[in-house]
């Protein structure tokens, strides 16, 4: 059973940076599960719907939503089952619980989330 766990969340002031990590366990492949499947970061702010933030696909470029373009970068470590979300110039509206997500053989796996709080 694939399990994902996020880390790296916390509280920062506006303009600060955080790097979120997502680790995967229970995968059968020796490849990084995040580079050979479609992987995403989502976030959910209080009282709002969950929204995607960034994605990577095996054979295409990565992408981020418009509101974070130029500030957030998604990446993965080829030597381990890790995915990252580098978040720079954080804004109060980035405050949310951040989740990582991977689709493996038509099944979607989620981590429990990590809280990011940005104060003005």
């Amino acid at each position: 059973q694939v399990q994902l766990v996020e880390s790296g969340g916390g509280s920062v002031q506006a303009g600060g940076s955080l790097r979120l990590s997502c680790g995967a366990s229970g995968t059968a492949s020796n490849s990084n599960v995040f580079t050979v499947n479609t992987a995403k970061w989502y976030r959910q702010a209080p009282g709002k719907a969950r929204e995607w933030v960034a994605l990577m696909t095996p054979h295409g470029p990565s992408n981020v939503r418009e509101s974070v373009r130029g500030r957030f970068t998604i990446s993965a470590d080829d030597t381990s089952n890790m995915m990252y979300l580098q978040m720079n110039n954080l804004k109060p509206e980035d405050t949310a619980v951040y989740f990582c997500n991977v689709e493996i053989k038509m099944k979607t796996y989620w981590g429990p989330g990590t809280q990011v709080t940005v104060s003005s």
Side-chain angles (χ1 to χ4, degrees):
Q1 179 74 8
V2 176
Q3 292 185 320
L4 306 181
V5 178
E6 304 92 342
S7 61
S11 298
V12 296
Q13 291 189 327
S17 298
L18 285 173
R19 188 193 195 204
L20 304 184
S21 300
C22 177
S25 61
T27 61
S29 172
N30 291 325
S31 301
N32 184 330
V33 67
F34 299 111
T35 59
V36 298
N37 298 285
T38 296
K40 302 176 186 177
W41 284 96
Y42 281 77
R43 67 185 180 186
Q44 187 166 18
K48 295 188 176 181
R50 191 171 296 189
E51 62 183 18
W52 79 273
V53 176
L55 68 88
M56 294 191 304
T57 58
H59 305 295
S62 60
N63 196 13
V64 297
R65 68 183 298 112
E66 182 63 31
S67 62
V68 305
R69 192 158 294 151
R71 301 188 296 120
F72 289 16
T73 304
I74 186 172
S75 64
D77 185 344
D78 287 336
T79 63
S80 64
N81 264 338
M82 297 292 293
M83 178 173 70
Y84 306 99
L85 184 68
Q86 178 67 45
M87 306 186 296
N88 299 325
N89 190 22
L90 282 159
K91 303 177 180 180
E93 51 263 42
D94 295 320
T95 294
V97 178
Y98 285 71
F99 302 88
C100 60
N101 160 306
V102 66
E103 299 170 18
I104 304 173
K105 297 181 180 179
M106 301 181 66
K107 186 172 182 179
T108 301
Y109 298 89
W110 291 88
T114 185
Q115 176 70 46
V116 171
T117 302
V118 185
S119 58
S120 58

